[in-house]
Amino acid sequence: PDALAESALRHVAILEDLDFRDIVISVKASGVPQMIAANRILAARTDYPLHLGVTEAGGLRMGTVKGAVGIGTCLAEGIGDTLRVSLTADPVQEVHAARAILSALELNPAKEMNIIACPTCGRTKIDLIALASEVEQRLAGCKKPIKVAVMGCAVNGPGEAREADIGIAGGDGCALIFKKGEIICKVPETEAVDRLMKEIDNL
């Protein structure tokens, strides 16, 4: 990390000697801890904007994880001005991952829709994984700045997810639809996503 930061600062000094100060510094590394540490050093030693990224991060799954940890850690500490998630995948996925990182940290000025979902447990009586996947797919193009909850049971539904604008809480072959913690109806499991979409359209 020290070598990365020192190298960047040496190059900055060369540009400053030439009276050029339109500078953005990028010290990407393939190692997440090294990338974070180098950017911490630079943030403490310079006021130039920092471009964040974990380079050569890997494919869609691993690259997204590495990018989220490295970039997300820096952003959470107030470090970084621009970013790129590097993936050995369709470049469009890099944009989706970057926007998801910003949304997770509530740094996206567009205030995009946020889907929250609980993990499965012994109380789950519906196919929560399939339900959450269908909700994500059907809301992929939704631009409403709302929080949507997909919960496995009534305990985790209107209770724990009461801050959600709208949500589903699974039952035994049925589901509850709720808004801001208040149950508005009970529907068969097979109709749950369609009813949720209708309620979202009306928001």
Side-chain angles (χ1 to χ4, degrees):
D2 291 333
L4 280 172
E6 291 300 334
S7 175
L9 291 172
R10 281 196 305 273
H11 285 83
V12 167
I14 293 169
L15 294 172
E16 289 178 334
D17 287 343
L18 297 171
D19 200 27
F20 184 88
R21 289 177 169 76
D22 189 10
I23 300 168
V24 176
I25 303 174
S26 178
V27 287
K28 293 181 181 179
S30 58
V32 174
Q34 292 79 12
M35 171 269 189
I36 294 169
N39 279 286
R40 283 173 174 160
I41 293 168
L42 287 172
R45 294 182 58 183
T46 183
D47 291 327
Y48 286 115
L50 302 179
H51 175 71
L52 304 177
V54 178
T55 193
E56 301 163 0
L60 181 60
R61 183 185 65 84
M62 201 64 225
T64 299
V65 171
K66 289 179 181 178
V69 173
I71 295 168
T73 298
C74 290
L75 291 176
E77 295 178 9
I79 298 170
D81 300 275
T82 59
L83 63 95
R84 179 191 174 185
V85 178
S86 297
L87 301 174
T88 307
D90 181 345
V92 173
Q93 296 300 325
E94 296 183 348
V95 178
H96 291 323
R99 292 173 73 100
I101 291 169
L102 293 173
S103 292
L105 289 167
E106 299 181 359
L107 294 174
N108 193 334
K111 295 187 180 295
E112 293 182 329
M113 181 195 59
N114 182 19
I115 299 176
I116 61 173
C118 64
T120 59
C121 73
R123 292 191 300 268
T124 305
K125 302 296 184 184
I126 63 171
D127 188 351
L128 182 62
I129 295 172
L131 191 67
S133 178
E134 184 178 354
V135 169
E136 284 192 4
Q137 289 173 9
R138 291 181 63 173
L139 290 176
C142 182
K143 301 299 182 183
K144 294 186 177 183
I146 57 174
K147 181 178 286 187
V148 180
V150 183
M151 312 302 281
C153 69
V155 173
N156 287 346
E160 290 187 14
R162 59 185 170 274
E163 78 283 359
D165 296 290
I166 186 81
I168 296 176
D172 192 356
C174 63
L176 303 174
I177 307 294
F178 61 91
K179 292 181 181 179
K180 296 290 188 181
E182 297 295 326
I183 297 170
I184 59 172
C185 66
K186 180 178 180 180
V187 295
E189 180 179 348
T190 55
E191 300 174 14
V193 178
D194 286 337
R195 181 57 185 267
L196 178 70
M197 296 301 127
K198 181 179 178 181
E199 295 297 334
I200 290 173
D201 286 341
N202 293 333
L203 286 176

